[in-house]
Amino acid sequence: MQCERFLENIPLYLEDRLDGAERAEWRRHFGSCAACRDTAMAHDPSLLFLRAEAPPPAEREVERHLAAALSRARAERIERRVRSGRVRRWAAAAVIVLGCGLAGLTFLGGGVDPGEVSSGTPAIARTERPAVEVEMDGGVTVYQFAEMDDATTTVAFVVNPEMRL
Amino acid sequence: MVTARLEVVSTMGDDEQALVRSARAGDEDAFAALVRRYMGGLHRVVARMLGDDEEAWDVVQMALVRAWQKLDRYDSRWRFSTWLYRIGTNLAIDVARARASRERAHEAGGLRVVASQETPAQRLEASEVERVLRRLALGLSPQQRAAFILREVEGLDTAEVARVMGCSAATVRNHIFHARKALRSELLRRYPELAPGRQEADHAV
């Protein structure tokens, strides 16, 4: 770029009215021609900062921070898994409590017909006894209060092994 | 010096796309290869925004962690570098906001100017310009800082800066307009010798 053209384009550069190629060329000329640079900076001293230059970081430093970032990412992944495991345990506990409550109301004299629990809840076909009964670790018993071919199936978890439905 | 110094403007080649695919599949080495090439530039931008090299590395690390975690959300129509710079710049803006109430950095030490026939602005070494920039940039709002550094110092065009900052081109221009105004004023007040012609013009009035 000729100096004359550069000087003409100073206001256009400052107003961001140069296209990409012209802008790049203007900046190159700014970097290489001290006299034009001074003239441009007399228009706007903040153009001084086009000359700012930071040394590139050492490769070793980049590698050190990259390794640290990957290590942080792994640690956060593990932490998230642990946290989500805790959430699952709380959700299981909530289901257990809910199931106990429902079972208690239905079979231990609560007098609530499961089909009438809520208008939004699908009716559960009552059976004489739970269709399935599974003993799990930790004294958890799983009951199924519906026939196997019934799509609307409910399950209760009973934590107290002494408690039988 | 003012050449296209930013890797962020490089086009995304097949090699980079392949690295993105592998990284998405959980390949840490591919992710490392992908981000390694942009870490220096990202650190430079963040350090200029925060005026602190060590804090900037911390932000770069946070940006990498976030990029790794959110890689499935990366839209490959964008350059990967733009996306990474966006994460890093937003984090730097957050950090700058969080410490906005702190005292601004004290001006320390004089500037090292080499004796010659050149004007003070010409004699000033690029590294000293860098120091002045970091010092004065702290007086800008975080957004003005980001816009000015990305466009004026790093050489990105306005559209690219808008993509990095997640705002419109008009907003970027507005930030830069105000940043220039503030920097101009601070530069003349604190370093009048670095504004060639301006003093003479001021004296002539």
Side-chain angles (χ1 to χ4, degrees):
Chain A
M1 178 180 270
Q2 298 292 318
C3 293
E4 196 180 344
R5 183 71 194 263
F6 173 90
L7 298 174
E8 281 171 10
N9 281 347
I10 291 173
L12 300 182
Y13 177 86
L14 290 170
E15 291 161 18
D16 194 26
R17 281 164 51 200
L18 295 178
D19 67 29
E22 282 179 319
R23 184 171 181 268
E25 208 178 333
W26 192 93
R27 287 172 64 88
R28 265 196 299 276
H29 191 83
F30 181 94
S32 61
C33 179
C36 282
R37 189 161 60 228
D38 268 1
T39 308
M41 283 165 56
H43 271 76
D44 190 326
S46 73
L47 289 170
L48 170 73
F49 298 121
L50 269 67
R51 291 188 56 213
E53 198 165 288
E59 197 180 323
R60 198 175 44 194
E61 198 166 18
V62 169
E63 291 305 318
R64 183 166 67 84
H65 289 287
L66 179 55
L70 291 173
S71 171
R72 272 164 85 161
R74 277 183 226 116
E76 285 189 20
R77 193 168 54 223
I78 291 167
E79 196 181 312
R80 263 206 317 277
R81 279 184 190 163
V82 169
R83 213 180 301 137
S84 73
R86 272 193 214 123
V87 169
R88 273 200 294 273
R89 280 197 291 277
W90 277 104
V95 168
I96 288 165
V97 170
L98 191 66
C100 286
L102 188 63
L105 284 171
T106 309
F107 295 98
L108 301 177
V112 177
D113 184 340
E116 296 169 356
V117 170
S118 160
S119 59
T121 307
I124 300 167
R126 195 192 302 193
T127 55
E128 282 298 312
R129 287 187 55 78
V132 178
E133 189 176 308
V134 182
E135 294 284 351
M136 297 176 68
D137 290 343
V140 176
T141 307
V142 179
Y143 295 97
Q144 181 173 296
F145 301 107
E147 300 298 341
M148 290 301 287
D149 57 352
D150 188 348
T152 55
T153 300
T154 192
V155 174
F157 296 83
V158 179
V159 183
N160 184 353
E162 301 301 315
M163 186 176 171
R164 292 281 164 190
L165 299 185
Chain B
M1 180 169 52
V2 188
T3 51
R5 51 172 63 164
L6 253 199
E7 307 91 321
V8 76
V9 292
S10 66
T11 51
M12 184 159 162
D14 291 345
D15 164 51
E16 191 156 290
Q17 285 180 1
L19 288 173
V20 169
R21 276 195 298 273
S22 301
R24 272 182 171 156
D27 183 346
E28 266 189 18
D29 290 339
F31 180 75
L34 188 58
V35 298
R36 190 178 280 120
R37 57 185 78 176
Y38 303 117
M39 280 177 69
L42 180 58
H43 174 261
R44 189 176 57 229
V45 170
V46 175
R48 282 171 169 159
M49 286 181 66
L50 301 179
D52 184 320
D53 272 342
E54 274 312 303
E55 199 170 18
W57 275 123
D58 202 43
V59 169
V60 169
Q61 282 190 27
M62 283 194 283
L64 297 184
V65 171
R66 200 158 292 183
W68 173 249
Q69 290 170 345
K70 313 276 182 197
L71 205 53
D72 55 329
R73 294 192 199 170
Y74 162 63
D75 181 347
S76 56
R77 285 173 301 176
W78 288 37
R79 290 175 185 132
F80 180 79
S81 53
T82 302
W83 185 67
L84 187 63
Y85 271 64
R86 183 176 186 157
I87 295 172
T89 305
N90 284 337
L91 286 169
I93 288 174
D94 289 345
V95 170
R97 276 191 188 136
R99 72 175 193 197
S101 58
R102 287 188 216 159
E103 271 187 271
R104 286 183 189 169
H106 291 292
E107 189 174 340
L111 296 173
R112 185 160 39 91
V113 178
V114 184
S116 78
Q117 296 297 314
E118 296 170 315
T119 65
Q122 286 171 357
R123 271 180 275 146
L124 197 68
E125 292 174 5
S127 58
E128 297 299 324
V129 175
E130 178 77 24
R131 277 181 56 197
V132 175
L133 169 67
R134 290 192 186 192
R135 214 171 286 160
L136 297 191
L138 294 175
L140 305 175
S141 76
Q143 284 88 351
Q144 288 169 2
R145 229 179 284 175
F148 185 83
I149 288 166
L150 288 169
R151 200 185 79 179
E152 294 303 301
V153 188
E154 296 288 343
L156 268 68
D157 62 32
T158 304
E160 190 81 21
V161 177
R163 277 194 290 274
V164 169
M165 293 184 67
C167 62
S168 69
T171 304
V172 170
R173 288 194 190 98
N174 190 44
H175 285 320
I176 290 173
F177 173 80
H178 288 290
R180 267 196 204 292
K181 197 173 162 189
L183 289 172
R184 204 160 49 223
S185 148
E186 278 300 285
L187 200 56
L188 289 172
R189 190 175 70 79
R190 294 165 70 173
Y191 307 100
E193 72 280 9
L194 301 182
R198 181 54 70 104
Q199 315 93 293
E200 290 86 336
D202 290 347
H203 289 312
V205 174

